[in-house]
Structures are given as structure tokens and as C-alpha cells.
Amino acid sequence: MADESGDPQQQSGAAQQSGAPLGEQQARDEQVVRKQRRAVFRVPAASLLTVPILLFGVTPIAFSAPGLQLLYLIPVAVVLWVVRVRTTATAEGLTVRTLTSSRSMRWDELSGLSITEKAAIRAVLTDGTPVPLPYVRLHHVPVLSLLSDGRIPDPSGALTSEAASADENSTNDAGADDTGRAVTAGDDTAGRPAATS
């Protein structure tokens, strides 16, 4: 006999077949979603639109004298730079890719972040080694803090103020006024004594 709603029984049936209660399955699903969150800091792909302009500009010069064809390496370098160089942050850690190398670091391996004179961010490993993070700037630190689950502190306090305002909104949405009476949207009698007839 088929259930009209279908979903709850199918979910609980799937949880029973896998041998795990529904709560554990939801916790695993949340972990998968958390692992899939990521932020990529790189040059926008729209920058590749400059390559045809570079090719157009380099062509007359490249054929004006022998050996100047090496100027075609400039557009190639731009393409490689845009496609390859990036910093990727996930729930597990950071992955840094440069033109010649790639390096992955878990959040546990970091002791913190440092700021350069040009406002670029570097990861500092527990042994004190600085690792440049391409395209990561100071205003990206709250994103890193969010993805690291607070292992990287947020000096701006943006996340804590957002969490506090979200808590206030949920408290206000619950909607009790000073008299303890529930307040609904459009209720303009809130806070006034009840009229007697």
C-alpha cells in the first residue's frame, strides 16, 4: 500500500536500510554540504578577453624583425596566469596554485594569517613559514573564517555581528511585546491596553 505523502516513509526506509537513524543520516548530509562549500580567489575569467587585443597589438611588431615572434609569449603567459593562479578555500583547508607549483594546507597546519605592506594576505604555518595566498585580501578574511569554522579568527567582527543580528531577528520574529502578548504583523494594538466594551 502506497503512502500518499511518500517522502517521510521513503526517507525512514532508506535510513533503516542503511542501518543508521534519520538524525545520523542528516548529520552526514550536512557534513557533505559543508565539505562542498568553497571559495575561489582568482582573476576573473573575463580577463581572457584581453588576449585577442594583445594578439592584435603584438602581431605588427612581431613580424617587423626576426626574433620578435617571442612577443607572442606575452598573451600565452596571460592565459596561463588567469587559468592557473588561484587560492581555493574549503572546509578542509587552503589550496594555493601558482604558475609553477601547487600546495595544499589543512586548517590545523596554520597558526594564522599575516598582512603584507600591499594588503595581501599570507598564511603562516605552525613552523613560521609564510605562504603567499594569491588574490586574497583583507576583506576576504571573513570568508576564510567562515569556511574554517572559526579556526581563522575574523578581525572585522562581520560574522559575529551578522550572527547577533540574526539572533535578534529570530527573537523579534517570535514576536512577543513587553506585555508578553504575541504580536503579529499588522497588529497596531501592540502595547496598548485592551479596550473594554
Side-chain angles (χ1 to χ4, degrees), residues 75-166:
V76 171
V78 169
V79 169
L80 287 174
W81 185 272
V82 170
V83 170
R84 176 119 176 107
V85 177
R86 68 184 63 198
T87 300
T88 305
T90 63
E92 286 80 36
L94 294 170
T95 302
V96 177
R97 284 175 39 183
T98 63
L99 280 176
T100 58
S101 65
S102 181
R103 182 173 189 167
S104 293
M105 301 163 279
R106 292 188 328 271
W107 294 115
D108 303 355
E109 297 174 7
L110 301 180
S111 65
L113 300 174
S114 68
I115 303 171
T116 66
E117 292 178 2
K118 295 184 179 180
I121 302 292
R122 291 185 295 188
V124 180
L125 301 178
T126 52
D127 63 358
T129 307
V131 179
L133 302 177
Y135 304 115
V136 178
R137 298 292 179 257
L138 189 58
H139 62 276
H140 296 135
V141 173
V143 175
L144 296 177
S145 178
L146 181 66
L147 286 170
S148 69
D149 285 333
R151 292 186 197 108
I152 299 294
D154 176 20
S156 69
L159 294 177
T160 54
S161 64
E162 285 178 11
S165 66

Side-chain angles (χ1 to χ4, degrees), residues 50-64:
T50 61
V51 172
I53 297 169
L54 280 172
L55 287 172
F56 184 74
V58 164
T59 299
I61 300 168
F63 289 105
S64 65

